[in-house]
Every structure is written in C-alpha cells, then in structure tokens.
Amino acid sequence: MFVNLEALSSPSLLVGKGLGDGETMSLMGIDVGTTGCKVVAFDESGAVLAQAGREYPLLSPNPGWYELDPNQVWSFVCECLREVNARIRRDPATALAISSQGEAMTPLTRDGQVLANSPVSSDRRNAKQTAEMEAALGAERIFALTGQPMSTIYTLPKVLWWRDHAPEIIERAWKFLCYVDFVAFKLGVEPVIDYSMAARTLAFDVNTLDWSDELLAAAGLRRDQMAKARPSGEIIGEIPPKLARELGFSGSVKVVTGGHDQPAGALGAGVLTPGTAMYAIGTTEALVAVTERPRPEMLAYNVSCYPHAAPGQFIALSGNQTGGRLLRWYRDELAAAERAIAEERDRDVYDVIVEQIDDAPGDLILLPYFVGSGALHNDPRATGLIIGLSFDSKRADIVRAILEGLTYEQALCIRVLNDIGVEINQITAIGGGSRSERWMQMKADITNLPISIIHTSEAASLGAAMLAGCATGAYGGIAEAAEQLIKLRKTFYPRADRVVHYQRQLTIFADLYAALRPIYAAMSADA
C-alpha cells in the first residue's frame, strides 16, 4: 500500500556547502520489500520531504515457488529515486542507506549479469535441502552459530536447491547478494552487507560477526562469493557522479550500510531498550524486541536472535510470513466490489476493504498460515483456515477474521517472548497497516498492550535514514537521532470489555493448530 505522506514543516538545520539560500540537505532511506519498494527523503527532524513507491509482481512459476526479478526490482528502485529527487531539488540528499527484505539473494557475474531470479522468504521449493542441512549439522548447532531456527525461509537452503538443480549458477556466480548489497552494488559502490542482513542468510556467525566457513562449506560457497560484512551505519562509498546525475541526485551522495527491514524498522520506531517492541504490519507481520544474544530456549519457540540495526545490540524476532499478503489475496480474489468503489472514488482499495467492518469483535476465526505457520510452530505444511462460516457470513466478516487472525498470531508470539524472558510492555506499530486506526485499536485489544504509531508508517526507511545521518555526522549517535527524528502520533489502549472477548477467542485460536497438526501432516503425505 503506497500513499503520499504530507511533508511536516520544520526549520532545517543542515545547511550544505555550495547550496543556495534556503536550500538544505536531506537524508534518504531506500526500502526494498517483498512486493514493493519505497524511497523516502527526510529532513533532519524526521519530516517526510518526498516519497515514492512501486509495487512489483511476486512471480510464482511453480506451486510453492515465489521469486523476484532483480532487474525489475532495480528498475523500480531507479524510478522511485528519480521521482523523489525531482521533488527535493531544494533539499538534495547527501547520504542514503538501504533496508530490505531478508533472505532473498541474487547470483551475479562479475560484470553484473543476473544469473537467476531471487527466491523470497516464503519460497518453499527447498524443503528437501532444508531437511538435509538440519540432519547434517543439527538444529542446535545451526542456532548456536546463526541465532536462527532452521527453516525453508533462509538463503542457504535456497542456494542448496540451486546446487542440486542448477549447479552452473554456483559455478558462474561472482557474488551472491541480498537486496541491501545488491542495490548498493547497482549504485556503484563495493557490495557490503550489514550484520543484521548477513544473519538472515544462515551463513553468518553472530558470535564472531563474520561469515561461517562451516556453513558456507555446507552450501558449496566460497567466502569471496559473499559481500563484505560490516556493522550498520558505516560509509561504504559514494555514488559515481555520472550515475548520480542519471538518478536525479544534485551532488555527491554517500552510501551507508543499512539493515534487514525488521531491525531497521525497529530502529526507525525507536525500539532501543528492553521492554519495547516493534510490530511491523506489511507484506509479512513481525515482532522485534531488544534482547541479549541467542539463548537455547529461543530455539524451542523458533525465535530468531541476531544483530540489531542499532550497532552493538541484538534483537529477538518472531513473526508470520503470510502477513499483509493475505489482504492482497483478498483484494485480488474476493474484493471486486471494493475495487470498483475504490476506482470510482479514487481511493486506496485497502482503506475501502478495512472500512467495511464495524468496531465489534468477530465470531469467525482465521489461521493465517497461507505460506506455512511462520514462527512458534515453524510448520511449512500448515495451511490457512477459516472456521465458523455460515450462510449469515458476509465479506466484511471475512475481512474482520483476516485482521483478527493475523493479530491473534502475534498475540501468541508476545506471550511466548514474555515466557522466555524477552519482556514486552510497550509496542510501536509500523508499516502500511499501521495507518488504519481501526486495526490498531483491534490490535491493542487483542494483545492487551498499548500500541503507539509514529508520524510516518515508513519506519524502515526512517531507520535507514537515521543510519545515513549518524554515519555522516548529522547526529551524535543513534539515541540523539531517535530523539530528533521519531515523533509519537497516537497511542491506542486496550479496552477491558474487548480484552475479555478476545482472550477467549485467542484460546480457541491457539488450540486450532494443535488439533490440525496431524491433518496437515496427512495432507502433506498425500501430496
């Protein structure tokens, strides 16, 4: 969901050398997601000066395959850069950083030729390779090295699929780049990956903060085929002048290491201390909380633990891969009437979809496992379910069940995180879904926690811009940047009467997976 945010007016303090009277500098965050990219320019106070977004198709050439065309993604990033730069000529960007989806990786030749599309997190073609890797190394050993519970979502099992089905890709590849280092490379600088993104490959040792030779060997990769790994917030180069002009930049632009979109979003939401958490509501749904380094009990609940985009810190991550793609599925398959209304009234179709529900809790319960269960159960065999349907059920009831079901899953994640010592008592929501106040109030009621929203839903881009600003001296550090850039807009508090209803429904929701687990296994065996 892409909307233009009104720029917040504020006096600028960063006056650039050689700029005309009244001209100021801006900081830019590029966010490359699973289904779309965004470029946002901020002033030094966090006000959005301009933003642009593009939605690209998630390709599915076979059942269970989900991939992106890296050339198409880069083309759309360029369009967004040109559009934003055209609107900030009096506030030219001087530095940028990149956040992106995790796991998706692109194999490249030395001259930049893309050798294959990049399978995204939810791509499940590598189930066999995932099981083989777990059997060979052990889930405990993999978690001890990487802080990641073994799953089909990670990069290394996807590379193992190429090894088995397209070995020429591994043989020809100069580099395997995730989207943060891929975009940096396309911007003309040396491909460098930050620690938080490197951790999502399942090839990075979070204890030594370096690539693991043991894990790389398991996939048949060489260390030199990976980008250099560095902390978030370091200058890694400057966009060459000719390319900068082609992309609409007005002068020299520093490129700074960014982060995986979830910790980058947590940084942009000000999640820097224990007890606070970010709730990302986008293509996927995720919870990010500040914690210490990986502990064995996290593995039992499939909680990831790896470096934060705030240097020197770690985060715990739990989430669901279905996320906002479920609303996109509803839009494409069931929302003909809502699409017609949106087109007639020139409105965002997602706003029209969500506005059809009232404030009352629903009776339908939906399991949001359209691409497996995600965290907690970590079951790629799990599928979606709606229970409670009758002839009285309306489209609005299905929409409400989608919104509630996604939130029930995160409420269970919060419960588990608290049980294993990752305390959460205050949540900040980010992403496109955080623009819906109705949904935010529902989430506060279901989680029984206060949920705040900030002045922009594009917190991952803001987190990237914070890193760019810190690296280039605009701020004295992350804490100072957070104080200046992050503005709380509203807090939603749980309502006692709704909490009682939702806690009862949450118990039923939690029991559903346990009841269906043998059925999922049987369905998978038949397939």
Side-chain angles (χ1 to χ4, degrees):
M1 293 180 278
F2 305 107
V3 296
N4 289 325
L5 301 177
E6 293 184 3
L8 305 176
S9 60
S10 64
S12 182
L13 302 177
L14 297 177
V15 180
K17 294 180 181 180
L19 299 179
D21 292 341
E23 292 187 356
T24 60
M25 299 187 292
S26 61
L27 300 167
M28 185 176 284
I30 301 173
D31 183 35
V32 184
T34 305
T35 56
C37 60
K38 309 178 190 75
V39 172
V40 188
F42 301 90
D43 73 9
E44 86 294 336
S45 71
V48 175
L49 298 173
Q51 80 167 33
R54 296 291 187 276
E55 185 175 316
Y56 32 71
L58 193 57
L59 308 175
S60 184
N62 290 297
W65 294 29
Y66 302 101
E67 60 188 35
L68 291 172
D69 177 348
N71 290 319
Q72 184 176 50
V73 172
W74 170 241
S75 175
F76 283 174
V77 170
C78 291
E79 288 184 14
C80 292
L81 286 169
R82 294 187 184 102
E83 183 176 332
V84 169
N85 281 327
R87 295 167 56 194
I88 59 169
R89 296 195 183 282
R90 294 188 63 81
D91 307 277
T94 57
L96 64 81
I98 306 148
S99 71
S100 88
Q101 59 176 301
E103 299 85 49
M105 182 172 274
T106 301
L108 291 170
T109 63
R110 184 174 292 275
D111 62 359
Q113 177 188 351
V114 171
L115 295 174
N117 285 345
S118 42
V120 301
S121 307
S122 56
D123 186 287
R124 291 177 289 172
R125 76 185 79 173
N126 60 350
K128 176 176 178 289
Q129 289 76 21
T130 302
E132 290 173 350
M133 185 175 173
E134 182 173 358
L137 298 177
E140 293 78 10
R141 176 62 177 164
I142 293 169
F143 184 80
L145 288 170
T146 68
Q148 312 293 347
M150 194 63 196
S151 169
T152 58
I153 72 173
Y154 298 110
T155 307
L156 221 56
K158 300 180 191 305
V159 172
L160 286 170
W161 187 92
W162 281 329
R163 180 203 64 186
D164 293 344
H165 296 275
E168 68 279 3
I169 290 176
I170 296 178
E171 294 169 4
R172 293 183 60 198
W174 167 63
K175 296 288 184 186
F176 288 85
L177 302 182
C178 293
Y179 273 95
V180 288
D181 34 327
F182 173 74
V183 172
F185 171 71
K186 298 295 283 186
L187 287 171
V189 304
E190 181 183 11
V192 175
I193 190 170
D194 68 278
Y195 293 162
S196 69
M197 180 60 69
R200 299 302 292 179
T201 65
L202 211 69
F204 189 73
D205 188 332
V206 297
N207 306 287
T208 63
L209 299 178
D210 195 8
W211 296 112
S212 165
D213 291 322
E214 177 183 351
L215 293 170
L216 289 173
L221 294 178
R222 303 185 312 274
R223 177 180 283 263
D224 65 86
Q225 289 180 297
M226 312 301 287
K228 290 182 179 179
R230 300 298 302 158
S232 298
E234 286 196 359
I235 297 173
I236 57 175
E238 191 171 291
I239 302 176
K242 182 176 183 294
L243 177 59
R245 288 193 298 272
E246 291 173 356
L247 295 173
F249 291 101
S250 299
S252 62
V253 184
K254 298 289 193 300
V255 180
V256 175
T257 47
H260 177 216
D261 57 5
Q262 303 301 355
L267 176 60
V271 175
L272 299 171
T273 57
T276 60
M278 177 211 73
Y279 188 167
I281 309 159
T283 303
T284 62
E285 284 212 346
L287 283 162
V288 173
V290 177
T291 187
E292 63 272 18
R293 290 173 182 264
R295 305 193 311 272
E297 57 267 32
M298 294 177 176
L299 176 58
Y301 295 100
N302 303 299
V303 174
S304 296
C305 186
Y306 58 103
H308 198 337
Q313 294 186 327
F314 272 64
I315 56 111
L317 169 69
S318 186
N320 176 276
Q321 288 292 318
T322 298
R325 288 174 63 187
L326 191 47
L327 277 173
R328 184 173 176 175
W329 169 80
Y330 178 90
R331 178 198 71 180
D332 294 343
E333 303 299 333
L334 301 175
E338 292 96 321
R339 291 201 307 271
I341 293 172
E343 183 175 352
E344 177 185 346
R345 300 177 183 176
D346 192 25
R347 299 195 59 208
D348 187 308
V349 65
Y350 292 106
D351 292 339
V352 175
I353 289 171
V354 172
E355 286 173 3
Q356 68 184 298
I357 69 169
D358 57 31
D359 192 43
D363 294 319
L364 302 183
I365 297 179
L366 177 142
L367 282 185
Y369 299 157
F370 280 51
V371 285
S373 67
L376 299 187
H377 308 306
N378 197 20
D379 187 351
R381 303 169 301 179
T383 57
L385 169 79
I386 303 177
I387 190 169
L389 289 167
S390 72
F391 286 123
D392 294 324
S393 301
K394 310 296 183 187
R395 282 203 313 276
D397 298 313
I398 295 174
V399 172
R400 183 185 290 106
I402 289 171
L403 302 181
E404 291 177 343
L406 289 168
T407 309
Y408 287 142
E409 182 74 1
Q410 301 314 312
L412 289 182
C413 290
I414 291 169
R415 183 183 295 177
V416 164
L417 288 169
N418 281 320
D419 287 345
I420 63 175
V422 183
E423 182 183 0
I424 296 176
N425 49 47
Q426 173 66 49
I427 295 173
T428 301
I430 70 167
S434 68
R435 300 198 324 269
S436 170
E437 295 198 0
R438 184 165 297 177
W439 201 6
M440 292 303 96
Q441 183 61 61
M442 177 191 291
K443 287 181 180 295
D445 294 337
I446 292 175
T447 62
N448 196 23
L449 286 171
I451 296 181
S452 300
I453 53 177
I454 60 174
H455 68 285
T456 174
S457 62
E458 308 303 345
S461 297
L462 179 59
M466 289 169 64
L467 292 167
C470 289
T472 53
Y475 312 104
I478 289 296
E480 179 183 316
E483 183 176 352
Q484 291 194 40
L485 290 166
I486 302 169
K487 299 174 179 62
L488 190 67
R489 186 158 68 88
K490 187 172 183 178
T491 299
F492 301 85
Y493 295 93
R495 298 170 294 185
D497 58 330
R498 300 300 167 85
V499 169
V500 172
H501 172 88
Y502 281 128
Q503 289 298 306
R504 183 171 62 250
Q505 294 292 87
L506 182 59
T507 300
I508 298 171
F509 178 92
D511 290 340
L512 276 175
Y513 172 78
L516 288 170
R517 185 172 181 177
I519 296 175
Y520 287 143
M523 291 173 64
S524 178
D526 290 343

